[in-house]
Each structure stands twice: as C-alpha cells, then as structure tokens.
Amino acid sequence: MDELVLARVLHVLGVVFWIGGVAMVTTVLLPTLARRQSPPEAMEFFARFRQRFAAQARVSTLIVGLSGFYMVYGLDAWQRFTQWQYWWMHTMVLIWLLFSVMLFVMEPRGRRQQANAPVQTNVSAETFVKIQRKHLFLLILSLITIAGAVAGSHGWLIAGS
C-alpha cells in the first residue's frame, strides 16, 4: 500500500503543478498580454513563455498519467470506467489526453512551423481573447473534474449509486 500512497502523492502534486500553471496562464498572463500596446510583441513573449511552461507541463502530465495508471492498476479499479458514478475518472483521462496531445504533438508542431514562418505582425488583442477562451474552457473542465474526484473519492457519489 505504500506504493499506492506514493502514487497518489505524486498524482496530486502533478495535478497541482500542472493545472495551477494553467490557472495562472489563464487568469493572469493572458489578460495582461491582451492589454499590452503591441499585440505582436505580446505574442512573441507568450510564445517564449509557452515554450518554457510546456516543458514543465510535459513533466507534470507524465507524472500524472503514470501515477494515475499505476493507481488504477494497483487498486484494480478498471470497473469504475464502466460505472457512471465515477464520471470524474473518464474526465481525468479525457483532460489528460487533451493536454498530452497539445503538449506532445500540437505545441512542438506549432513551434516548428513558427520557426519556418516569418514573424507575425497581424496579431491582434482578439488573438489573446481566443487563446484565453480555450484555456478557460480547459481550466473550468479541469476544476470540475478535480472537485468531482475529491468529493467522489471521499464517498460523495451521485445519488442512486
């Protein structure tokens, strides 16, 4: 059981580091950049920032994915994926998959394309609003999932379960 406790500790720390970073980007960085005088400069800053943040987010998502898989395996909790009362387990996997695809496939591809393309000068403040909306959607979905997982893991399941 000590391994399962360690896996849960790593899982929670990974989620805090990862989703906490998403919250900071969504609620602090993007609104600040959207108000800057020069949207192209703001986008250049955001691209550099995103590159560094993506590196730490990749490590966090790997820790979360590995520890989550280990806990499901160690607890033999596979049957929970067939029961709707454990809806948060499905959303955990969905969010993990979405972010993993973004971090390991889309972000590196976008960086390669950006390196081969000329500097963008047609960036507007609306660009940051669109980026922020996407981040906000993922943040809200993540927070709902975290709340559901904490409540459900402490026995607060949906009535009728």
Side-chain angles (χ1 to χ4, degrees), residues 2-153:
D2 288 342
E3 295 86 10
L4 286 170
V5 172
L6 177 61
R8 182 170 281 180
V9 167
L10 291 173
H11 194 75
V12 170
L13 289 175
V15 168
V16 167
F17 202 62
W18 164 29
I19 302 301
V22 172
M24 190 278 304
V25 168
T26 304
T27 62
V28 177
L29 181 65
L30 289 171
T32 301
L33 291 175
R35 290 189 292 272
R36 290 191 77 170
Q37 295 287 355
S38 171
E41 287 178 16
M43 188 55 123
E44 183 181 326
F45 176 85
F46 182 65
R48 288 193 316 269
F49 178 89
R50 184 178 60 199
Q51 187 174 353
R52 290 199 58 171
F53 178 68
Q56 70 100 49
R58 281 187 197 101
V59 171
S60 298
T61 56
L62 281 174
I63 290 169
V64 167
L66 291 171
S67 60
F69 176 80
Y70 181 81
M71 287 188 293
V72 171
Y73 174 79
L75 294 169
D76 195 24
W78 302 106
Q79 76 284 357
R80 290 184 178 183
F81 287 104
T82 66
Q83 300 169 334
W84 64 272
Q85 300 95 312
Y86 298 99
W87 60 269
W88 69 85
M89 292 185 67
H90 299 89
T91 57
M92 280 183 188
V93 172
L94 174 67
I95 291 166
W96 181 82
L97 282 171
L98 285 171
F99 275 99
S100 292
V101 167
M102 287 173 21
L103 291 166
F104 291 99
V105 178
M106 295 171 67
E107 196 273 335
R109 183 184 303 159
R111 202 170 359 136
R112 281 192 301 273
Q113 289 173 347
Q114 192 176 31
N116 296 331
V119 176
Q120 289 183 325
T121 56
N122 60 348
V123 177
S124 69
E126 183 64 28
T127 303
F128 289 100
V129 172
K130 290 177 185 176
I131 294 170
Q132 188 175 20
R133 283 184 190 138
K134 291 175 187 174
H135 277 78
L136 188 58
F137 171 77
L138 291 170
L139 177 60
I140 289 169
L141 184 60
S142 299
L143 294 176
I144 289 169
T145 301
I146 292 167
V150 171
S153 67

